[in-house]
Amino acid sequence: MAVALAAIGGTLFWFLGSKGLEDDGPHKLTTPSMTSFATYFRYGDASGTTVTGADTGELEEIGIANPEPVVASYYEEDLGNLNTSDPDGVQEKLRSARNHARFTVTGAYGKIAEPKIALDNYFAKMQDNLASASQKGNTHIVSQLGVPEDTEADSLDGAVMMCAELSIDNFETSEDSRTTVCGWADYSTIALVTPYDGILGLSTSEAAELTGKVRGEMRVAG
């Protein structure tokens, strides 16, 4: 795949291959309290969206230098005023929120030399983690990720994207679910987005469009 260097307005950009993936400089991922493209509210405060420890080592393994992990969940219903002194009430509120649209973002920012390879590795790591979690759950809950495929979305600009079907089978309660997980990667950010609309999953095209919008919302220069 050819790599070319171009000067635009006095600024140098690297372009990768025919898709025009460019290195537009360092960026990081933020977790705004709510999104502007639709009504979604972040669950928890911003301090709870940074992940440290073993996750950093895994991210380095997939191809991210100096990774800063980020994870956040967004709900259509505002859960910011939960009364933590009432655990039963909190659980009931969370169960109610599952009837509405929601999504989880798991990702990181740093230096990514090969975005496509990093995204391939990220999906593979997710597959391994799901298989391990299913085994530890005494086979009551089995989560499986399908084969990731290259995907495009009108909302995506300047990144590679892949999507895969996620199935979660609960053999104890017979509560099964299906949705599409989509991920993006560029030269400084990478993330997987897992969306649901109530108990229903999103199609590939719906999940891809949402993922592109999430990237546009969370990714800022820095």
Side-chain angles (χ1 to χ4, degrees):
M1 185 176 291
V3 179
L5 181 65
I8 302 177
T11 303
L12 296 178
F13 292 94
W14 285 101
F15 289 89
L16 175 62
S18 60
K19 289 188 176 181
L21 182 61
E22 66 179 43
D23 186 352
D24 56 352
H27 283 71
K28 62 182 180 179
L29 295 178
T30 61
T31 55
S33 59
M34 63 182 299
T35 61
S36 62
F37 62 82
T39 305
Y40 287 102
F41 301 91
R42 187 189 64 224
Y43 175 56
D45 58 33
S47 63
T49 62
T50 302
V51 183
T52 58
D55 298 88
T56 301
E58 290 186 353
L59 290 168
E60 289 175 340
E61 289 177 2
I62 70 173
I64 308 171
N66 301 316
E68 294 288 343
V70 172
V71 60
S73 294
Y74 285 83
Y75 290 83
E76 198 174 40
E77 182 178 357
D78 188 358
L79 302 175
N81 296 318
L82 292 180
N83 182 4
T84 55
S85 64
D86 179 16
D88 291 339
V90 169
Q91 291 302 314
E92 179 60 33
K93 192 73 171 178
L94 289 173
R95 281 192 292 268
S96 174
R98 290 175 61 85
N99 294 322
H100 301 282
R102 64 193 187 280
F103 63 87
T104 298
V105 184
T106 304
Y109 58 94
K111 183 62 177 177
I112 304 174
E114 299 286 350
K116 180 63 167 63
I117 293 175
L119 190 56
D120 282 333
N121 293 339
Y122 205 5
F123 270 103
K125 180 63 67 175
M126 182 180 182
Q127 289 175 322
D128 291 343
N129 290 343
L130 288 174
S132 176
S134 295
Q135 292 173 357
K136 292 178 180 178
N138 296 321
T139 71
H140 292 314
I141 300 177
V142 176
S143 303
Q144 294 181 316
L145 191 68
V147 178
E149 297 183 355
D150 293 342
T151 311
E152 296 182 357
D154 291 339
S155 59
L156 187 71
D157 181 24
V160 294
M161 176 183 282
M162 301 178 72
C163 295
E165 182 180 282
L166 172 66
S167 62
I168 302 175
D169 302 322
N170 190 324
F171 295 101
E172 193 170 43
T173 65
S174 298
E175 294 180 357
D176 303 336
S177 63
R178 302 285 188 278
T179 192
T180 304
V181 177
C182 290
W184 83 76
D186 50 56
Y187 288 100
S188 56
T189 70
I190 188 171
L192 301 179
V193 178
T194 306
Y196 283 95
D197 186 1
I199 62 173
L200 303 176
L202 272 64
S203 67
T204 298
S205 60
E206 292 170 330
E209 282 300 319
L210 174 65
T211 298
K213 292 176 181 178
V214 169
R215 177 179 179 267
E217 190 83 13
M218 294 181 63
R219 185 177 184 266
V220 299

